[in-house]
Amino acid sequence: MVLVLAIGDLHIPHRASDLPQKFKSMLVPGKIQHIICTGNLSIKEVHDYLKSLCPDLHVTRGEYDEDSRYPETKTLTIGQFKLGICHGHQVIPWGDLDSLAMLQRQLDVDILVTGHTHQFKAYKHEGGVVINPGSATGAYSSFTFDVNPSFVLMDIDGLRVVVYVYELIDGEVKVDKIDFKKTATTRLAH
Amino acid sequence: MMVDGVEDEEKWLAAGIAGLQQNAFYMHRALDSNNLRDALKYSAQMLSELRTSKLSPQKYYQLYMRAFDELRKLEMFFKEETRRGCSIIDLYELVQHAGNILPRLYLLCTVGSVYIKSKEAPAKDVLKDLVEMCRGIQHPVRGLFLRSYLSQISRDKLPDIGSEYEGDADTVNDAMEFVLQNFTEMNKLWVRMQHQGPAREKDKREKERSELRDLVGKNLHVLSQIEGVDLDTYKETVLPRVLEQVVNCKDEIAQCYLMDCIIQVFPDEYHLQTLEILLGAFPQLQPSVDIKTVLSRLMERLSNYAASSTEVLPEFLQVEAFSKLNNAIGKVIEAQADMPILGAVTLYSSLLTFTLHVHPDRLDYADQVLGACVKKLSGEGKLEDNRATKQIVALLSAPLDKYNDIVTVLKLSNYPSVMEYVDSETNKVMAMVIIQSIMKNNTQISTADKVGALFELIKGLIRDLDGAAHDQVDEDDFKEEQNSVARLIQMLQNDDTEEMFKIICTVRKHILTGGPKRLPFTVPPLVFSSLKLVRQLQGPEENPFGEEGSTTPKKVFQLLNQTIETLYGVPAPELALRLYLQCAEAANDSDLEPVAYEFFTQAYILYEEEISDSRAQVTAIHLIIGTLQRMHVFGVENRDTLTHKATGYSAKLLKKPDQCRAVYACSHLFWVDDQDNMKDGERVLLCLKRALRIANAAQQMSNATRGSTGSVTLFVEILNKYLYFFEKGNTQINAAAIQSLIELITAEMQSESNSPDPAADAFFASTLRYIQFQKQKGGAVGEKYEPIKV
C-alpha cells in the first residue's frame, strides 16, 4: 500500500491565504510516501510545507509559480503504475479530456495528473485515467464559479489504485472514492 | 594581589576549621563523661573561631555551619542535663561566664532554646532577653550570623496561635515583636557594612552584602509563616514597621532587595489590600533604587493572581487597584525625570498587562495606559535603545494576545500613536505580529475604515518609511513580509458589494504607495479580490441595473485596468499579461465585449513589446490561445482580429517545434464545441496543414545541421489533432488524410536518416492502439474509423 497525495493550484498568496485548517490537520508528515503537485503553489513557503509532509515531492510548473525551474511535465513510476504530471495550461483547449488523453498517450502513462481548471475530475478512458485534484485552497478560477477546496489521495496496491477525493463543502470534509484496476497488459480497466 | 587574598582566606578558613574541630573533639569527650564544666570550656573555645574578621561571608558561612552542627549536640546535652536535675536557670547563668562575648551569646541562645522548651519561663521573656543581648555584637558579619542563629533556633518556639508556647502572657504579638526586632537589628548591621572600609573596595563590599542578603530577608519569611499574622495584623503592624525600617535605612541595596522580598514573600491578597501603603513607600525610597523592576514584579504577581481565578476580580475593583497603580506609576515617572525610556516603557507594559488581566472589558483603562505612555514617548523622539524597542513590542502585543482581535485593539485610540514612535524596523516586526494574529484567529476585517486604519498601522510593510535604508533589507525577509501582506489582503472580505468595493479602493490606495519592489506582490491579490467582487455582482440577487452610482462590474474593471497598469513601472510584463487575460475572461462572463477586447489589446501589446524571452513567449502564447478559445463574447470582427494576431505570433516563435505546437493549438480557435457557428472546419485544417509544414521544415533543418532527421513526435502530435477533429465531425478531415499521415510517419520512422526515439515510438504505438480501440467500439464511431488501416 503506497499513499500518493495529488494536490495543486493553491495559488498562495495571490488568491488564497492558506490551506483550509481542516485540510492542514489531516495532512500530517510521515503518512504519505509521494506527493504529486500540479503546480501554481506559488511561493517557496508552500513548497517547503509540502516537502515537510513528505520528502519525495514532484512539482510541475504552473504559470504563476515563483520558481521557474519546475519542469513542464514529469513522469514517474510507483509500483505497477506509470504516472504523469502536467499543470495543464499548456494543453488547449483547457480541461478538454480528449486533448488531455493525447498528452497521456504522449507521456505513455497509466495515470495523468493535471490541474489548472480547479475542478476535481477522475476520468477513465481507454488509455488510462486522468485525475484533476482541483484546488486545495478553493482558489478563484475563471473556469468554475464555486470552487470547493479539494485534494486527492491515491492508494496504490499492486494492480489496483483507489482514488480518494477530499472536498471541503460548507465547512465539512466530504470523502469519495473511485476504484481503478489495471490488467497485466498495461491497460487500465474500471 | 587578589589571588593572594583568596589563598590567604583559604588558609585562614582551614585554620579556623581545624581549630573548631579540635575543640569540638574535646567538647565531645567532655559530653561523654558528663563533664559540664569542660564541655562549656571547650565549646567556648570552639566558638571563638567565629570571632575572626578575616573571612568573607561565604567562607564565614562554612565555619558557621560546622559550629551550628556542633551546637546541636551541645543543646541535646543541655536537655539531658536538665532532666538529670540541673536547673535550667542555673545553666542560663552559667554560660554567661564565658570569657568573650560572641561565644557567650551563642551559648546563651543555645541554652535559651532548651529554656523555652522547658516552659519554665514564658517564651516571650526568653526571646526578648536574647534578642536584646545580641546587641552586644555590632560587627556586621558576626552579628548577622549570630542573629541568624537566634532566628533558626527560635523558629519552632514562637508563641504563635495554636503553638504549645502560646499562653496568657505569650501571644502572637510577642512573636511578631521578636521577629521584627531581630529583623530591624539585622538590617542595621547589614546597612552598616556599606560604609565600612575604604572607598576603593566598595564593589567588593557590595558583593559581600549581596551574599548576606538572604539572612536578612529570612526574617520576613518567618513573619509570613506566623499563623497569627493575619491581614489585619499585617496591615496594622507588620507592614508599617517593616516599611519604616526600609525607608529609614536610606540604603539603596537594602531598599531594593527588601521591597522585592516583601512582594514575593507575602500573599497577593495582602498586597491588594495594602496597596496604598505599599505604593506610598516607593516615592520615599532612594532615587537610585530600581523601582521599575520592583513595581513591575508587583504588577506581574497581581496579574497572575487575577488570572488565577475570576472570584478574586471583584477585590481588585473594590480596592481600586488600577487607579492606585496608575497614579503611583505616574508619580514615580514624574519624580524620576531622567529615568531612561526603557524604565518607563517597562512600567507601562506591566501596567497594561495588569489592566488586561483584571479589567479586560475596560478598553478605556487600557487606552489610558497607552496614552500615558505616548505622552512619555513624545518627549523622547525616535527610540534608539534596543531593549526599549523590545518592550514596546511587548506592550503592543499584549492587547493583541488578550483580545485575539485586531479590530478590538484598533478601538484603543492611542494604539496607533504608540506605533508612531518606533523606528521602521520595529514597525515591520509589529506589523508581522499583527498580520499573524489576524491569520491565526481568522479575524474578519469588514469595513473600509477598519481596513484603512489597519494599513496605516502596518505602514512599515506597505511603503518605505522616511529614513528607512531599503538596501539593507534581506531579500528573503522582504519576500516573506510582502507575501504576508498579500495573504492579509485575502482576509479582507465583506458580502456587501458596496462596502467590498470601498475596501478594495482603500487597499489599492495604500499599496500603490509601495513602489515597484512591492507591487508584484500586492497587486495580484488585489486583482483577484476584485474579480471575486465582479462575480458577486453578477450573482442572481444583484440587480443588473443597480442604483445610480452603485458599484458595477464595469467600474471594477476600470479600476482593474488602472491597477494592472502600475506593473509596467516595475517592470513585470509577464505578470501583467496573465492578469489582463484573467480580467478578459471575467469581462467575457459579464458580457462586456469592449472591456474584454481592451484587456486583450493590452495583453497583446505587452506580448509584442515587452516579452522577448523565448520560453516566456511560449507560455504567454499558450495562455493567450487558451483564453481566446474560451471567449464567446466577441463578435466576428473582433474575434477575427485577435485570432489572426494570435496565429501570427505562433508562427513567429523562435524554435520550430514551439511554432508547430502553437500553430496547431490555434486550430482550436476555429472550433468551439458548444457554438455551432464557431466550427470552421476549413480553417482548422489550414492550421493543421501549416503545422505540418513547419514540422517538415524542422525535419529538414535537423537533417541539414545534424545529419539525421530528428524525432517524429511533432508529426504524431499533429496526427492526434487530426483524429480529434475527425471525431468531432470536421468534414474537411477525412479518413484518407489520416491514413496518409500515418503512412508518412511510418515511413519517416523507418528511414535511414531517422534517429530512433523510444518516446516517439511509444507515442505512435499508443495512438495506433487508440485508433484500433475506436474501430472496435462499433456503432457510429466504429464506422467512422473503419476505413483507417493500422
Side-chain angles (χ1 to χ4, degrees):
Chain A
M1 173 178 111
V2 179
L3 284 180
V4 184
L5 173 68
I7 191 171
D9 285 312
L10 296 100
H11 287 283
I12 294 172
H14 289 170
R15 307 189 199 182
S17 58
D18 206 357
L19 268 175
Q21 187 52 41
K22 291 213 162 143
F23 280 1
K24 270 182 135 167
S25 43
M26 289 171 66
L27 294 171
V28 264
K31 298 261 182 69
I32 300 161
Q33 278 79 52
H34 308 274
I35 299 185
I36 287 177
C37 184
T38 52
N40 278 339
L41 299 176
S42 348
I43 50 178
K44 185 168 170 293
E45 280 160 7
V46 182
H47 180 108
D48 292 341
Y49 166 73
L50 290 176
K51 197 93 191 198
S52 78
L53 293 180
C54 160
D56 194 40
L57 172 64
H58 305 271
V59 187
T60 48
R61 193 177 74 90
E63 78 274 32
Y64 283 93
D65 274 314
E66 176 187 65
D67 189 345
S68 56
R69 292 166 306 171
Y70 296 137
E72 299 285 323
T73 62
K74 202 163 189 192
T75 55
L76 63 152
T77 307
I78 297 177
Q80 302 282 349
F81 287 88
K82 282 194 281 191
L83 293 97
I85 325 168
C86 178
H87 176 251
H89 66 270
Q90 306 92 330
V91 179
I92 291 163
W94 292 335
D96 182 80
L97 289 164
D98 293 313
S99 301
L100 288 170
M102 165 177 141
L103 177 62
Q104 185 155 17
R105 292 193 279 274
Q106 186 165 9
L107 296 176
D108 194 28
V109 292
D110 303 309
I111 303 174
L112 176 67
V113 182
T114 175
H116 188 58
T117 62
H118 301 201
Q119 271 171 348
F120 162 70
K121 281 260 190 307
Y123 173 77
K124 192 222 141 259
H125 61 101
E126 69 81 34
V129 175
V130 176
I131 296 179
N132 185 333
S135 161
T137 53
Y140 173 92
S141 159
S142 44
F143 260 75
T144 329
F145 261 51
D146 275 309
V147 186
N148 288 319
S150 65
F151 66 87
V152 155
L153 208 54
M154 292 184 276
D155 183 354
I156 296 181
D157 192 2
L159 293 172
R160 182 165 168 255
V161 57
V162 183
V163 175
Y164 296 93
V165 57
Y166 297 82
E167 263 185 290
L168 189 66
I169 303 176
D170 290 330
E172 291 302 317
V173 179
K174 303 255 166 43
V175 192
D176 213 346
K177 78 176 187 153
I178 311 164
D179 254 90
F180 295 106
K181 261 195 280 293
K182 178 175 156 166
T183 61
T185 57
T186 73
R187 207 78 64 81
L188 220 57
H190 200 337
Chain B
M1 277 288 259
M2 272 291 281
V3 179
D4 277 352
V6 169
E7 270 183 27
D8 285 340
E9 260 201 66
E10 290 285 348
K11 273 201 300 205
W12 292 326
L13 176 62
I17 293 177
L20 192 149
Q21 281 174 334
Q22 190 182 33
N23 283 301
F25 173 73
Y26 288 122
M27 180 184 89
H28 282 252
R29 266 230 305 235
L31 294 182
D32 289 339
S33 37
N34 283 338
N35 188 339
L36 179 61
R37 265 191 51 186
D38 277 356
L40 289 179
K41 170 169 138 206
Y42 286 115
S43 60
Q45 272 173 237
M46 175 184 81
L47 289 165
S48 291
E49 297 297 341
L50 289 175
R51 294 175 60 214
T52 174
S53 328
K54 293 185 187 152
L55 297 176
S56 69
Q58 270 187 345
K59 299 267 186 298
Y60 191 93
Y61 174 75
Q62 290 186 44
L63 199 57
Y64 165 86
M65 280 315 290
R66 283 167 207 268
F68 184 89
D69 289 338
E70 299 304 335
L71 285 174
R72 295 285 59 64
K73 300 176 191 148
L74 189 61
E75 184 179 342
M76 276 204 304
F77 176 75
F78 287 153
K79 213 154 104 199
E80 286 296 315
E81 279 291 292
T82 55
R83 263 200 295 188
R84 278 195 284 265
C86 180
S87 148
I88 187 67
I89 299 173
D90 287 345
L91 205 47
Y92 197 72
E93 225 226 309
L94 199 58
V95 299
Q96 296 188 47
H97 292 304
N100 301 105
I101 181 166
L102 189 68
R104 191 190 315 156
L105 289 172
Y106 270 102
L107 289 173
L108 200 59
C109 288
T110 313
V111 175
S113 174
V114 182
Y115 198 168
I116 297 173
K117 274 213 237 180
S118 72
K119 302 204 183 122
E120 286 193 31
K124 85 161 195 274
D125 289 347
V126 181
L127 291 171
K128 197 158 161 31
D129 201 33
L130 290 172
V131 82
E132 292 201 345
M133 291 267 236
C134 286
R135 279 227 184 97
I137 303 295
Q138 287 298 315
H139 181 269
V141 176
R142 295 199 287 266
L144 280 170
F145 275 99
L146 173 64
R147 285 189 179 275
S148 189
Y149 179 69
L150 173 59
S151 175
Q152 273 176 294
I153 54 128
S154 64
R155 265 199 88 151
D156 55 340
K157 301 174 185 78
L158 297 175
D160 193 1
I161 292 178
S163 130
E164 55 183 293
Y165 302 104
E166 195 188 14
D168 297 322
D170 291 313
T171 61
V172 156
N173 284 331
D174 299 308
M176 233 170 41
E177 267 308 314
F178 167 71
V179 180
L180 280 170
Q181 203 176 352
N182 203 24
F183 161 73
T184 308
E185 294 304 318
M186 283 177 84
N187 194 36
K188 283 188 193 156
L189 288 170
W190 190 40
V191 169
R192 182 175 306 150
M193 274 180 82
Q194 186 70 16
H195 309 289
Q196 280 182 326
R200 66 170 181 279
E201 286 185 2
K202 182 161 133 201
D203 286 339
K204 177 167 163 239
R205 278 204 301 279
E206 290 190 350
K207 181 170 172 289
E208 290 185 354
R209 280 195 66 191
S210 173
E211 290 165 6
L212 288 166
R213 66 187 193 183
D214 286 336
L215 293 181
V216 182
K218 197 76 187 294
N219 291 292
L220 296 179
H221 195 68
V222 171
L223 276 172
S224 76
Q225 303 285 41
I226 299 179
E227 292 274 347
V229 171
D230 59 1
L231 176 58
D232 286 325
T233 330
Y234 176 77
K235 199 168 172 176
E236 303 296 317
T237 317
V238 174
L239 186 61
R241 285 277 293 276
V242 172
L243 283 179
E244 195 188 330
Q245 173 55 215
V246 169
V247 169
N248 289 347
C249 76
K250 292 199 186 353
D251 176 76
E252 179 200 329
I253 294 180
Q255 288 181 340
C256 193
Y257 171 70
L258 289 172
M259 286 305 284
D260 200 42
C261 210
I262 295 170
I263 291 167
Q264 301 304 331
V265 151
F266 290 101
D268 297 318
E269 28 174 349
Y270 283 21
H271 295 316
L272 255 190
Q273 297 295 336
T274 56
L275 205 49
E276 230 169 317
I277 308 174
L278 198 56
L279 293 175
F282 280 99
Q284 301 178 52
L285 300 178
Q286 301 299 104
S288 46
V289 173
D290 184 10
I291 294 180
K292 69 173 190 314
T293 310
V294 181
L295 257 180
S296 297
R297 284 169 43 133
L298 173 62
M299 284 188 283
E300 220 183 285
R301 276 194 77 102
L302 293 176
S303 295
N304 292 337
Y305 182 48
S308 66
S309 118
T310 45
E311 286 165 8
V312 307
L313 288 179
E315 244 187 280
F316 282 82
L317 294 166
Q318 183 228 349
V319 305
E320 291 175 22
F322 172 75
S323 60
K324 288 197 182 132
L325 284 167
N326 200 13
N327 287 337
I329 290 176
K331 280 210 198 95
V332 164
I333 290 184
E334 228 183 277
Q336 298 189 357
D338 50 347
M339 183 197 293
I341 193 68
L342 169 63
V345 178
T346 312
L347 280 170
Y348 283 123
S349 188
S350 305
L351 181 58
L352 185 62
T353 312
F354 171 82
T355 316
L356 290 171
H357 273 119
V358 174
H359 302 287
D361 50 335
R362 295 298 298 262
L363 288 174
D364 55 330
Y365 281 176
D367 211 13
Q368 242 183 68
V369 177
L370 289 173
C373 190
V374 169
K375 212 164 127 210
K376 179 71 184 169
L377 283 171
S378 63
E380 300 282 323
K382 289 272 189 215
L383 289 180
E384 304 269 309
D385 183 357
N386 238 346
R387 292 173 304 162
T389 327
K390 281 211 178 92
Q391 272 300 329
I392 299 234
V393 174
L395 176 78
L396 291 172
S397 304
L400 259 184
D401 291 333
K402 176 71 187 174
Y403 297 117
N404 276 331
D405 181 3
I406 186 68
V407 176
T408 310
V409 173
L410 283 173
K411 290 193 193 142
L412 300 167
S413 62
N414 286 309
Y415 194 87
S417 315
V418 178
M419 289 279 271
E420 288 293 322
Y421 287 99
V422 301
D423 61 311
S424 58
E425 268 315 299
T426 317
N427 185 294
K428 283 201 263 180
V429 168
M430 214 39 234
M432 291 296 276
V433 169
I434 291 172
I435 294 181
Q436 247 113 5
S437 160
I438 294 171
M439 295 207 32
K440 195 176 83 154
N441 297 300
N442 217 352
T443 316
Q444 297 302 320
I445 305 164
S446 48
T447 69
D449 292 331
K450 292 197 195 113
V451 170
L454 175 62
F455 272 74
E456 218 12 73
L457 206 55
I458 62 172
K459 60 187 174 195
L461 293 180
I462 305 295
R463 57 180 183 271
D464 292 331
L465 297 178
D466 299 326
H470 190 67
D471 328 284
Q472 292 171 4
V473 174
D474 176 62
E475 269 302 308
D476 288 333
D477 286 343
F478 181 74
K479 268 195 196 159
E480 205 190 316
E481 288 165 10
Q482 295 308 309
N483 282 327
S484 295
V485 176
R487 285 167 132 138
L488 174 65
I489 295 176
Q490 302 295 340
M491 314 270 320
L492 309 174
Q493 180 62 30
N494 193 326
D495 286 335
D496 174 55
T497 51
E498 290 305 315
E499 193 61 40
M500 191 61 208
F501 188 64
K502 284 198 202 129
I503 290 177
I504 289 175
C505 292
T506 310
V507 174
R508 180 173 179 273
K509 196 176 74 170
H510 278 96
I511 65 174
L512 287 185
T513 62
K517 279 218 157 126
R518 293 186 176 81
L519 290 172
F521 294 93
T522 51
V523 166
L526 186 63
V527 167
F528 285 106
S529 227
S530 312
L531 289 176
K532 279 194 226 170
L533 176 60
V534 169
R535 272 228 179 118
Q536 255 184 294
L537 288 166
Q538 291 166 346
E541 314 90 43
E542 295 296 324
N543 180 354
F545 297 99
E547 293 148 22
E548 267 304 316
S550 70
T551 315
T552 60
K554 226 175 175 182
K555 270 198 191 156
V556 183
F557 284 124
Q558 278 168 0
L559 194 71
L560 279 168
N561 211 339
Q562 292 165 345
T563 310
I564 301 176
E565 258 175 23
T566 62
L567 289 176
Y568 289 27
V570 174
E574 292 176 52
L575 180 59
L577 181 132
R578 282 153 177 70
L579 295 175
Y580 277 133
L581 290 176
Q582 290 280 348
C583 291
E585 273 192 275
N588 178 61
D589 295 335
S590 302
D591 276 327
L592 294 167
E593 187 183 354
V595 178
Y597 190 78
E598 174 63 23
F599 282 128
F600 258 96
T601 311
Q602 300 283 43
Y604 278 27
I605 293 175
L606 278 174
Y607 181 87
E608 284 180 25
E609 296 180 3
E610 304 292 334
I611 299 180
S612 46
D613 173 76
S614 309
R615 216 173 140 220
Q617 279 182 339
V618 173
T619 311
I621 197 64
H622 279 283
L623 292 174
I624 288 173
I625 299 172
T627 312
L628 187 53
Q629 197 266 341
R630 291 168 49 74
M631 299 280 111
H632 55 72
V633 73
F634 289 130
V636 172
E637 262 188 48
N638 279 339
R639 197 180 170 94
D640 269 347
T641 313
L642 294 174
T643 308
H644 180 71
K645 276 263 166 192
T647 39
Y649 296 151
S650 306
K652 291 210 199 72
L653 288 170
L654 182 62
K655 301 189 222 168
K656 290 253 177 272
D658 292 333
Q659 277 179 18
C660 180
R661 292 186 171 114
V663 167
Y664 75 59
C666 284
S667 64
H668 290 281
L669 290 175
F670 302 104
W671 191 279
V672 182
D673 258 340
D674 48 1
Q675 291 175 47
D676 276 333
N677 60 339
M678 274 309 314
K679 295 183 181 172
D680 188 341
E682 255 187 57
R683 292 175 82 175
V684 167
L685 186 58
L686 275 172
C687 265
L688 294 181
K689 281 194 172 156
R690 196 173 178 185
L692 263 179
R693 281 201 298 279
I694 300 175
N696 261 319
Q699 289 288 64
Q700 284 168 7
M701 242 177 59
S702 179
N703 206 5
T705 54
R706 292 199 195 104
S708 68
T709 47
S711 162
V712 298
T713 307
L714 287 174
F715 290 114
V716 184
E717 289 175 37
I718 299 170
L719 170 61
N720 274 272
K721 285 296 162 190
Y722 266 70
L723 290 171
Y724 178 93
F725 288 107
F726 178 63
E727 273 193 46
K728 295 280 177 191
N730 184 347
T731 50
Q732 300 291 322
I733 298 179
N734 52 27
I738 294 176
Q739 189 75 55
S740 57
L741 192 46
I742 293 174
E743 277 152 25
L744 169 76
I745 298 172
T746 318
E748 274 294 325
M749 284 171 67
Q750 289 166 348
S751 122
E752 269 175 19
S753 50
N754 180 254
S755 47
D757 179 3
D761 294 344
F763 188 14
F764 190 44
S766 55
T767 310
L768 294 178
R769 260 202 313 274
Y770 171 71
I771 298 174
Q772 192 69 310
F773 183 77
Q774 295 295 75
K775 282 166 69 144
Q776 285 162 0
K777 252 188 180 164
V781 176
E783 254 184 65
K784 213 172 182 165
Y785 272 85
E786 211 273 311
I788 305 175
K789 312 276 179 271
V790 295

